[in-house]
């Protein structure tokens, strides 16, 4: 990126086990960006966040903030604040005193402290809660106090470790956009760690998907979802059907892959080699399911397959079907429930046809 406000350059962290927790990670993060490190437990994302905070020292590599190497600086010398999943609020202090804690330690005059605390309370919409203790607040309110405390010292970089992990699902969804609003209003650069893909895609401008200490792909949420770089990213971001097959046509504008249950025509080229083994990634919501054979069947049979409904789950706005195929594979299909009372809804055991356009699948070679 042109604005490499935060530059992570070939960073390695090895705890002496022989398997690096962070393995040659390089990322550039822009000023004012909300950036997410996404991955399952043990992928190295929290270790990388601790390296940014100064709680760990890199085995190799550099961490530059506005061109200054921070790799050897202790946490208290970095213009960085971190908000933990547990919030780490002092239970014996009031909301006001929790927010003011770092400011008082820095020796700011009382008037400046009071002014800054008031501004932070207004920012997180907790004015009037100054004298309450943490146990007198809801989980969402505690989260906002922790955020206000993290922002009170005007850090150049804000680190969030599973920022909404302590909240229940509904409150977490309500808080996501509010948290983004506050961060963007302040203008601070933010790096967050999460294992929740929905949270990352809702809050972050860009996401790095990590596995086994490495970054597998960096991109905007739509880029990761629509054009994953490999099978791991395709499977980790959203739901996906992965069909293995053999490349039989490879042109600039399309490829054809022979899979176990169908021939798949994909509307993009891959510059591969005929006969090579590839995978076709197909998102459930891009598939149409119907009782009658589709028109694609008469046009050569590509991108369509017949099966039996093995299971279905109605979740309100859509229904997910599990279509059992001849090979034994199961195709997952999501259909929007646009009709309140469809005339002939598919049931378990019904025969049905699935089909999809050439623009729907993506061919993966890794």
């Amino acid at each position: 990126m042109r604005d490499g406000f935060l530059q992570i350059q070939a960073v390695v962290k090895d705890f002496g086990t022989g398997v690096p927790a962070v393995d040659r990670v390089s990322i550039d993060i822009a000023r004012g960006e909300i950036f997410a490190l996404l991955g399952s437990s043990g992928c190295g994302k929290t270790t990388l966040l601790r390296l940014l905070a100064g709680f760990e020292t890199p085995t190799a590599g550099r961490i530059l903030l506005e061109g200054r190497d921070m790799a050897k600086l202790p946490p208290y010398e970095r213009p960085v604040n971190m908000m933990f999943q547990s919030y780490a609020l002092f239970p014996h202090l009031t909301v006001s005193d929790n927010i003011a804690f770092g400011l008082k330690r820095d020796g700011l005059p009382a008037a400046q402290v009071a002014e800054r605390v008031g501004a932070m309370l207004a920012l997180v919409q907790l004015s009037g809660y100054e004298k309450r203790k943490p146990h007198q607040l809801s989980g969402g309110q505690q989260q906002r106090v922790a955020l206000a405390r993290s922002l009170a010292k005007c850090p150049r970089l804000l680190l969030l470790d599973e920022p909404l992990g302590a909240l229940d699902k509904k409150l977490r969804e309500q808080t996501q956009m509010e948290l983004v609003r506050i961060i963007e209003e302040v203008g601070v650069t933010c790096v967050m760690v999460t294992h929740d893909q929905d949270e990352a895609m809702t809050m972050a401008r860009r996401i790095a998907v990590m596995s086994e200490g490495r970054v597998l792909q960096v991109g905007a949420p739509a880029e990761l979802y629509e054009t994953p770089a490999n099978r791991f990213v395709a499977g980790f971001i959203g739901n996906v059907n992965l069909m293995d097959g053999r490349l039989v046509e490879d042109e600039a504008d399309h490829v054809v892959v022979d899979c176990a249950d169908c021939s798949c025509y994909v509307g993009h080229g891959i510059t591969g080699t005929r006969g090579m083994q590839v995978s076709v990634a197909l998102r459930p919501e891009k598939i149409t399911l119907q009782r009658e054979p589709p028109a694609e069947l008469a046009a050569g049979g590509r991108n369509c397959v017949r099966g039996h409904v093995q299971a279905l789950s109605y979740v309100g706005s859509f229904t997910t079907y599990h279509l059992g195929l001849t090979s034994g594979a199961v195709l997952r299909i999501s259909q929007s429930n646009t009709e309140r009372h469809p005339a002939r809804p598919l049931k378990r055991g019904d025969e049905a046809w699935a089909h999809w356009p050439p623009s729907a699948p993506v061919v993966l070679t890794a």
Side-chain angles (χ1 to χ4, degrees):
M1 297 185 64
R2 292 181 180 178
D3 180 13
F5 175 78
L6 174 65
Q7 297 174 299
I8 303 169
Q9 299 179 343
V11 167
V12 176
K13 181 58 182 179
D14 191 337
F15 290 101
T17 62
V19 179
V22 175
D23 191 1
R24 291 170 292 172
V25 168
S26 295
I27 306 171
D28 281 2
I29 297 173
R31 186 187 308 274
E33 185 175 20
I34 300 177
F35 190 93
L37 301 172
L38 177 65
S40 53
S41 298
C43 72
K45 60 186 186 297
T46 298
T47 300
L48 182 55
L49 198 73
R50 290 176 62 83
L51 289 167
L52 297 178
F55 301 142
E56 302 289 351
T57 303
T59 306
R62 299 200 305 166
I63 299 172
L64 305 178
L65 184 64
E66 295 184 292
R68 182 188 182 192
D69 193 348
M70 297 197 304
K72 303 299 183 182
L73 291 179
Y76 57 84
E77 290 186 12
R78 302 186 183 201
V80 176
N81 260 355
M82 185 169 178
M83 191 180 91
F84 298 92
Q85 180 179 355
S86 63
Y87 307 146
L89 298 175
F90 298 110
H92 62 289
L93 297 182
T94 64
V95 166
S96 179
D97 287 337
N98 264 286
I99 297 172
F101 184 80
L103 301 173
K104 290 179 178 179
R105 284 181 62 91
D106 286 350
L108 264 66
Q112 289 186 26
V113 171
E115 181 182 357
R116 188 64 183 163
V117 169
M120 289 298 98
L121 286 168
L123 179 69
V124 299
Q125 299 180 351
L126 285 177
S127 298
Y129 289 77
E130 295 90 335
K131 297 187 182 301
R132 295 196 185 186
K133 299 287 183 67
H135 73 273
Q136 297 173 313
L137 303 174
S138 68
Q141 290 169 335
Q142 291 181 32
Q143 184 261 350
R144 283 186 278 162
V145 173
L147 179 61
R149 184 178 63 183
S150 298
L151 294 173
K153 294 178 65 175
C154 300
R156 307 294 292 157
L157 178 64
L158 177 65
L159 307 177
L160 305 180
D161 183 11
E162 302 281 1
L164 306 178
L167 305 181
D168 61 66
K169 184 177 185 296
K170 187 167 185 177
L171 183 57
R172 187 164 64 246
E173 292 173 350
Q174 294 172 348
T175 307
Q176 285 170 356
M177 297 311 297
E178 180 64 14
L179 190 57
V180 170
R181 178 194 68 79
I182 293 170
I183 293 170
E184 290 183 342
E185 185 172 329
V186 174
V188 66
T189 304
C190 176
V191 178
M192 60 179 286
V193 155
T194 182
H195 66 274
D196 187 326
Q197 57 174 292
D198 292 336
E199 185 171 289
M201 296 179 76
T202 299
M203 295 180 62
R205 183 190 305 173
R206 288 190 306 144
I207 301 168
V209 180
M210 295 187 65
S211 178
E212 298 181 346
R214 296 187 176 186
V215 172
L216 300 185
Q217 187 175 357
V218 177
E223 180 183 350
L224 296 179
Y225 189 83
E226 300 294 351
T227 55
N230 50 56
R231 289 176 62 98
F232 182 90
V233 175
F236 195 81
I237 302 290
N239 296 311
V240 70
N241 298 291
L242 290 170
M243 299 179 287
D244 295 328
R246 183 173 59 88
L247 188 66
V248 296
E249 284 186 34
D250 184 14
E251 303 295 339
D253 62 343
H254 76 275
V255 297
V256 176
V257 180
D258 272 352
C259 301
D261 295 287
C262 67
S263 177
C264 194
Y265 183 98
V266 185
H268 69 82
I270 64 169
T271 62
T273 303
R274 290 184 182 181
M276 69 183 293
Q277 295 296 310
V278 297
S279 298
V280 176
L282 182 61
R283 299 292 184 184
E285 73 279 3
K286 301 185 188 301
I287 306 172
T288 299
L289 187 66
Q290 60 188 59
R291 289 183 179 277
E292 302 77 18
E296 286 84 351
L297 189 63
R302 290 173 175 172
N303 292 4
C304 65
V305 64
R306 182 176 62 180
H308 290 81
V309 178
Q310 291 185 348
L312 58 91
S313 54
Y314 176 88
V315 292
S317 60
F318 64 92
T319 298
T320 298
Y321 298 88
H322 293 256
L323 191 70
L325 307 181
T326 303
S327 69
V330 176
L331 196 66
R332 185 168 177 166
I333 305 159
S334 294
Q335 300 280 270
S336 296
N337 293 321
T338 55
E339 298 180 47
R340 292 187 61 201
H341 304 292
R344 295 179 63 204
L346 286 165
K347 305 184 299 297
R348 187 178 287 107
D350 285 352
E351 181 180 88
W353 288 86
H355 61 98
W356 54 91
S359 60
V362 177
V363 176
L364 305 175
T365 58

